[in-house]
Amino acid sequence: MNISINHPIIKKSQSLIALFLLCLFISLLSDKFMTSTNLWNVLRQISVNVCISVGMTLVVLMAGIDLSVGSVLGLSAAVCAGLLKSGLSFESMDLFVGFTVLGAIVAAMLIGMLLGLFNGWVITKFAIPPFVATLAMLTIARGLTMLYTEGIPISNLGPKFEFIGSGWILGIPVPVWISLIMVLIVVFLTNKTAFGRYIYAIGGNEKAAFLSGININKIKLAVYGIAGMMAAVGGVLVTSRLNSAQPNAGMSYELDSIAAVVIGGTSLSGGVGTVTGTVIGAVIIGVLNNGLVLLDVSPFWQQVVKGIVILLAVIIDKMNQKNK
Amino acid sequence: MLEAVNISKEFPGVKVLNQVNFKFYPAQVNAILGENGAGKSTLLKILTGEYTEYEGEIKLNGETVRFSSIKEAQNAGIAIIHQELNLIPELNVTQNLFLGREIKTAFGLLDTQKMEAEAQIIFDKIQLHVSPKTLVQKLKVGEQQLVEIAKALLSNAEIILMDEPTSALSDKEIDNLHRIIAQLKTENKTIVYISHKMDELFRIAERYTVLRDGNTIDAGEMKATTEQDLIRKMVGREVLIEKKTSENHFEDAILRVNNLNLINPNNKSRKLLQDISFELKKGEILGIFGLMGAGRTELLETIFGMHPANSEFDIEINGSQSIHKKPKNAIENGLAFVTEDRKTEGLVLGMDISSNISLTNLKALGLLNNTKDKASAKDYIEKLRIKTPSETQLCQNLSGGNQQKVVLAKWLATNPQILMMDEPTRGIDINAKNEIYNLIKELAANQMSILLVSSEIPEILALSDRILVMAEGKIKASYLAAEANEDKLLKSALPE
């Protein structure tokens, strides 16, 4: 059989093949890699990035970018932990509202969504480039997190809440379940709904989409809102895993998230890409991180290697486009 | 002398230039005449090194040259002044003038003083009364044009191509330009001049070359010809498609546009469209003809709700008032708009045929029904004879004619009462053209009302029941199919 590198099937599953080779390579060098403990651990670790990155994928598909996801994660995590721990008290009205675990999580997701909607509002209302608008939010949300936490972690959030990050259901870690559900929801959105089709259309040709009667601003608003909410879900996972909300939680997570999207084959100029690609991208980054630790590579070299992998992914992608 | 011998240029499926010949002489103004689409721009792009692939030879002072880049053409002494000016607004006039050929001091730094001094000398010569430090964005259009000319002079160009240089100038600015051209002639420069304004050509040009459908029709001295004669040569092609002669009578007005005005967003004191009123009747094909810049596209765009901030107008559809603040409103009121540029406005090229066709018809919160969308796409592929292996083919892989058919299908899928089309057959081959003509006729026969904008006279004549002619943002004339002919249309379309 004659299979060339340009065969469509190989091209389509390029990132999957890369992941396979990566796993093979690491397991040859370290016998700790291919153990179930380690693999579940890897999946648990990447579940946060997966949640953020599927939201980011929608933004990037629309030819946008969201640099604020890490800070949004931080603020919603802090609010989640704060509400759980001390509730809301309105002294003037002599009122105290306590929060259940679910209540605190929903509140966190709402905060994330609101921050995202604010991003979308600035971008659509004032025609500000997404890069700038979300860069501003990156600083604002981080500042608010510091103000809210006063720079001190909020810890000891109770066993019920801890279960979300550390528990197991049917032999699978809870964070993996949660990220899987998020992925399925977003895959459904992109493939089966008009909303998803509009995202691709806007990213592919915004003017044609506008002329087709699509309400561009509404869609953009919704997408940034979803991205914020996904970041908040990531925030809940991180907080629960540590049983503590750190003031600097999520710092520079936007970079890993954009890396996952790009490695997964989504074009930064919009219109092309898939959510499943992003998931594979996130897994590649996770496996790479894990492998480098197992192989005792210094953290400084880890960063260098990660950067090189991102570059390679994008260069290969560019070359594929040229061959078309 | 600049000479072309049997120049031919083909784009996939279309022959734009077919064995074109000409001779342009120094110390003369050599006019190129032709309708839109006659091949003038293509010719200019070959002469200036933008298009590098063509058949035939270009001879410069007897020697064959073949430019492989714009830079090479410039070095050979050919400069062009584009219809749309190519200056950088944020830089000052001197910086623009010397862009890419800056004068440097002994240390390799910019010698601003020297450049400004040289700029001043050239400005004095062409009577451009601005300081060399003025930002280009502060200049009027006429002044910007002079900066472009200064740029050409600075490069010591021997051959200066001007593409409709006076289309945006005031009378005074035109006079000044003509004076400069006269001066350039005395310096033995070759001027190649494209213009639609006949009186202007008779005033300044010595020689003419007429292009039509990519062929050289005639060339000669302006002295030996008349305006009538030139117009006849420009349009007098063999009419491939028959002119519509049947007198159809239409009763009910489906669309009434009253007092439509559109302000130029870049210059609030000027109007792009002025006091436009007309009606479209049920089942009628209303042609709108005009030359480049007449405001045809802007008219359709405004009706479709694309310029809400700068326009004012009343629209009645089926007797009731409509408000179009965005395309969505217009679509909901039964309008469809097949835009001029299928690549940038019509299609999402990276999506497949089926997704593009269904794009106008999805419910924002609804689920996709791929089976239904694909079936509908298949119907249109068959009905419009779109050549494609399947409905899941990406639109970027289709030919121009087939892309155009997908755009049509996409709008037909909205079941419109009124179909607006802007240059529906631009850049597609003759067969696809004919298929689209037949389709348009069939749609009208089934009581769809059609607004057809075209710069191709035969197309307008073949399809329209009635024809409006636009020039300079106004409706200049209206003809019934039976009374219209090529001469009348072109004459009404020429700016005053």
Side-chain angles (χ1 to χ4, degrees):
Chain A
M1 204 167 65
N2 183 9
I3 297 181
S4 82
I5 291 203
N6 285 326
H7 193 276
I9 292 173
I10 293 194
K11 253 187 180 173
K12 260 193 173 163
S13 40
Q14 237 165 22
S15 47
L16 213 52
I17 293 168
L19 176 61
F20 176 76
L21 292 176
L22 186 64
C23 290
L24 194 71
F25 181 69
I26 297 172
S27 56
L28 286 178
L29 293 179
S30 162
D31 48 4
K32 286 182 215 135
F33 179 72
M34 273 295 171
T35 59
S36 72
T37 328
N38 185 56
L39 290 180
W40 282 128
N41 201 18
V42 171
L43 286 181
R44 194 203 296 271
Q45 278 166 357
I46 63 168
S47 55
V48 176
N49 192 23
V50 167
C51 287
I52 303 174
S53 301
V54 290
M56 181 72 83
T57 309
L58 298 184
V59 176
V60 174
L61 276 177
M62 222 170 48
I65 193 92
D66 188 348
L67 299 179
S68 70
V69 284
S71 300
V72 169
L73 180 152
L75 184 56
S76 25
V79 171
C80 180
L83 292 177
L84 208 53
K85 186 124 191 189
S86 29
L88 269 181
S89 59
F90 304 91
E91 275 159 31
S92 59
M93 285 183 283
D94 205 12
L95 183 70
F96 175 81
V97 185
F99 278 80
T100 61
V101 168
L102 187 65
I105 292 173
V106 170
M109 287 169 71
L110 279 177
I111 294 277
M113 192 174 74
L114 281 177
L115 294 172
L117 286 175
F118 183 83
N119 279 336
W121 179 71
V122 173
I123 290 163
T124 52
K125 174 81 184 176
F126 303 102
I128 307 281
F131 190 95
V132 180
T134 58
L135 181 65
M137 179 55 81
L138 176 144
T139 316
I140 294 171
R142 183 59 65 196
L144 290 175
T145 313
M146 292 299 174
L147 286 171
Y148 184 80
T149 59
E150 295 170 344
I152 304 161
I154 306 172
S155 309
N156 294 326
L157 305 170
K160 258 196 201 163
F161 185 67
E162 215 183 341
F163 179 76
I164 298 169
S166 318
W168 296 72
I169 294 174
L170 301 176
I172 293 175
V174 179
V176 177
W177 279 114
I178 292 178
S179 56
L180 187 67
I181 291 166
M182 295 300 144
V183 169
L184 289 179
I185 290 174
V186 179
V187 166
F188 178 79
L189 273 182
T190 47
N191 291 341
K192 297 289 177 193
T193 68
F195 174 70
R197 177 67 52 77
Y198 289 169
I199 292 174
Y200 281 94
I202 292 171
N205 187 344
E206 185 166 330
K207 188 156 192 204
F210 172 66
L211 288 172
S212 301
I214 295 171
N215 192 334
I216 309 259
N217 288 352
K218 233 191 222 166
I219 305 285
K220 282 191 176 171
L221 215 57
V223 165
Y224 282 96
I226 292 174
M229 201 171 73
M230 288 299 189
V233 173
V236 170
L237 293 181
V238 176
T239 311
S240 155
R241 176 76 182 144
L242 299 172
N243 200 13
S244 164
Q246 304 286 326
N248 62 356
M251 197 91 90
S252 76
Y253 277 22
E254 60 278 354
L255 301 181
D256 266 0
S257 159
I258 295 170
V261 171
V262 169
I263 293 175
T266 297
S267 154
L268 281 177
S269 48
V272 183
T274 59
V275 176
T276 43
T278 298
V279 174
I280 295 171
V283 177
I284 288 180
I285 295 177
V287 169
L288 196 63
N289 281 337
N290 179 258
L292 292 172
V293 172
L294 290 181
L295 300 180
D296 236 354
V297 178
S298 96
F300 307 140
W301 276 112
Q302 289 180 26
Q303 293 186 26
V304 176
V305 172
K306 216 154 79 181
I308 291 172
V309 168
I310 295 171
L311 268 186
L312 275 178
V314 181
I315 290 169
I316 291 171
D317 208 45
K318 258 273 157 351
M319 282 175 8
N320 280 344
Q321 277 172 19
K322 258 191 197 157
N323 285 341
K324 255 179 200 167
Chain B
M1 186 171 68
L2 183 66
E3 194 178 350
V5 186
N6 294 331
I7 299 277
S8 295
K9 169 85 186 164
E10 231 174 291
F11 290 116
V14 209
K15 197 149 199 175
V16 215
L17 293 178
N18 185 19
Q19 311 252 329
V20 167
N21 292 286
F22 60 74
K23 285 180 182 156
F24 296 146
Y25 297 87
Q28 293 194 345
V29 172
N30 303 269
I32 307 181
L33 290 92
E35 278 187 281
N36 300 340
K40 292 170 300 186
S41 331
T42 311
L43 193 59
L44 288 187
K45 283 178 180 161
I46 289 175
L47 291 178
T48 53
E50 190 170 332
Y51 290 159
T52 53
E53 279 172 34
Y54 56 88
E55 287 165 36
E57 279 186 352
I58 295 173
K59 289 182 181 168
L60 187 56
N61 299 326
E63 263 178 67
T64 300
V65 288
R66 199 173 180 98
F67 306 127
S68 57
S69 70
I70 295 178
K71 192 88 202 161
E72 260 187 56
Q74 283 172 350
N75 292 342
I78 296 181
I80 182 163
I81 291 148
H82 287 281
Q83 196 177 357
E84 293 107 22
L85 301 169
N86 282 328
L87 299 170
I88 300 172
E90 292 80 7
L91 296 182
N92 74 29
V93 284
T94 308
Q95 288 162 340
N96 265 288
L97 216 47
F98 286 90
L99 200 63
R101 45 168 175 257
E102 287 80 1
I103 302 177
K104 294 184 185 126
T105 64
F107 303 109
L109 301 176
L110 293 178
D111 192 345
T112 310
Q113 248 176 351
K114 192 166 179 198
M115 287 191 279
E116 283 173 359
E118 285 204 15
Q120 192 61 55
I121 295 171
I122 295 183
F123 289 173
D124 288 344
K125 186 170 156 190
I126 60 174
Q127 293 190 15
L128 173 59
H129 305 295
V130 300
S131 145
K133 289 182 166 46
T134 317
L135 291 186
V136 162
Q137 59 194 3
K138 298 248 153 77
L139 300 184
K140 297 192 199 101
V141 181
E143 292 171 332
Q144 292 190 21
Q145 196 126 44
L146 292 180
V147 175
E148 289 267 21
I149 291 171
K151 224 172 143 177
L153 295 181
L154 190 73
S155 67
N156 284 322
E158 285 304 311
I159 294 159
I160 301 175
L161 315 175
M162 299 187 183
D163 189 3
E164 299 209 41
T166 55
S167 59
L169 298 192
S170 71
D171 286 349
K172 213 177 137 199
E173 289 168 334
I174 292 175
D175 284 344
N176 189 34
L177 179 70
H178 287 174
R179 193 187 52 71
I180 293 162
I181 289 173
Q183 192 183 331
L184 292 175
K185 278 199 286 195
T186 65
E187 292 167 19
N188 213 31
K189 309 275 189 202
T190 308
I191 311 287
V192 179
Y193 200 91
I194 293 182
S195 175
H196 283 301
K197 298 180 183 173
M198 284 292 171
D199 57 333
E200 175 178 70
L201 294 179
F202 277 96
R203 239 183 310 159
I204 63 164
E206 276 78 23
R207 306 188 60 84
Y208 68 86
T209 304
V210 177
L211 293 183
R212 190 206 305 154
D213 293 336
N215 295 290
T216 336
I217 298 305
D218 191 22
E221 294 192 17
M222 291 299 283
K223 276 191 302 213
T225 185
T226 63
E227 187 173 334
Q228 279 299 326
D229 187 44
L230 286 179
I231 290 182
R232 197 178 47 73
K233 283 171 181 154
M234 280 162 69
V235 301
R237 77 194 87 189
E238 294 160 57
V239 180
L240 287 167
I241 314 133
E242 250 175 67
K243 180 180 169 225
K244 198 164 195 166
T245 48
S246 64
E247 279 284 324
N248 291 323
H249 288 284
F250 303 95
E251 301 288 322
D252 314 321
I254 190 161
L255 170 74
R256 271 204 190 92
V257 174
N258 289 319
N259 297 320
L260 183 145
N261 284 284
L262 176 67
I263 294 166
N264 185 339
N266 303 320
N267 180 357
K268 301 272 183 199
S269 62
R270 279 183 68 170
K271 283 185 173 177
L272 291 174
L273 296 171
Q274 211 172 342
D275 298 325
I276 293 193
S277 302
F278 66 90
E279 342 182 295
L280 171 68
K281 302 211 162 103
K282 201 165 172 58
E284 183 185 37
I285 302 178
L286 178 59
I288 300 180
F289 174 73
L291 298 172
M292 201 100 76
R296 305 159 303 179
T297 300
E298 290 81 358
L299 176 61
L300 296 192
E301 287 179 353
T302 307
I303 295 173
F304 205 57
M306 287 169 68
H307 303 295
N310 297 311
S311 61
E312 264 177 5
F313 56 99
D314 290 322
I315 282 189
E316 275 174 40
I317 293 173
N318 276 328
S320 56
Q321 203 78 28
S322 291
I323 295 169
H324 297 168
K325 291 274 178 210
K326 49 187 175 188
K328 194 173 178 37
N329 305 140
I331 295 168
E332 283 163 358
N333 287 326
L335 264 73
F337 184 16
V338 176
T339 40
E340 182 174 3
D341 191 332
R342 52 188 168 260
K343 288 195 165 69
T344 62
E345 302 169 319
L347 295 173
V348 183
L349 290 172
M351 290 197 332
D352 65 15
I353 297 176
S354 164
S355 307
N356 267 291
I357 293 179
S358 63
L359 200 58
T360 41
N361 265 332
L362 303 175
K363 298 270 168 290
L365 292 174
L367 298 184
L368 297 176
N369 186 339
N370 277 328
T371 335
K372 197 183 111 211
D373 289 349
K374 279 186 183 171
S376 149
K378 267 188 184 154
D379 273 358
Y380 281 112
I381 288 171
E382 199 175 324
K383 207 160 118 199
L384 307 187
R385 281 190 260 167
I386 301 172
K387 282 189 206 87
T388 172
S390 90
E391 71 282 357
T392 54
Q393 176 78 304
L394 298 185
C395 286
Q396 65 200 14
N397 298 333
L398 299 177
S399 73
N402 286 306
Q403 285 180 346
Q404 188 64 13
K405 288 177 183 175
V406 176
V407 179
L408 257 170
K410 159 183 157 174
W411 287 110
L412 293 179
T414 64
N415 242 330
Q417 305 180 55
I418 301 160
L419 180 63
M420 305 197 290
M421 296 196 226
D422 193 0
E423 304 282 0
T425 63
R426 165 160 297 175
I428 66 179
D429 64 82
I430 191 76
N431 282 324
K433 245 182 195 179
N434 274 322
E435 285 176 10
I436 288 177
Y437 290 162
N438 288 332
L439 180 77
I440 292 173
K441 286 184 211 163
E442 195 187 311
L443 291 170
N446 290 321
Q447 294 302 301
M448 196 179 283
S449 310
I450 293 170
L451 267 183
L452 172 75
V453 158
S454 176
S455 53
E456 291 185 33
I457 298 185
E459 180 166 300
I460 287 272
L461 287 175
L463 295 170
S464 314
D465 298 304
R466 195 156 53 93
I467 300 161
L468 302 177
V469 183
M470 289 183 72
E472 300 174 311
K474 294 180 204 141
I475 292 181
K476 281 287 162 79
S478 165
Y479 301 101
L480 291 173
E483 59 187 17
N485 64 36
E486 308 208 354
D487 284 13
K488 278 186 189 172
L489 290 187
L490 195 62
K491 236 181 172 162
S492 317
L494 292 174
E496 281 154 6

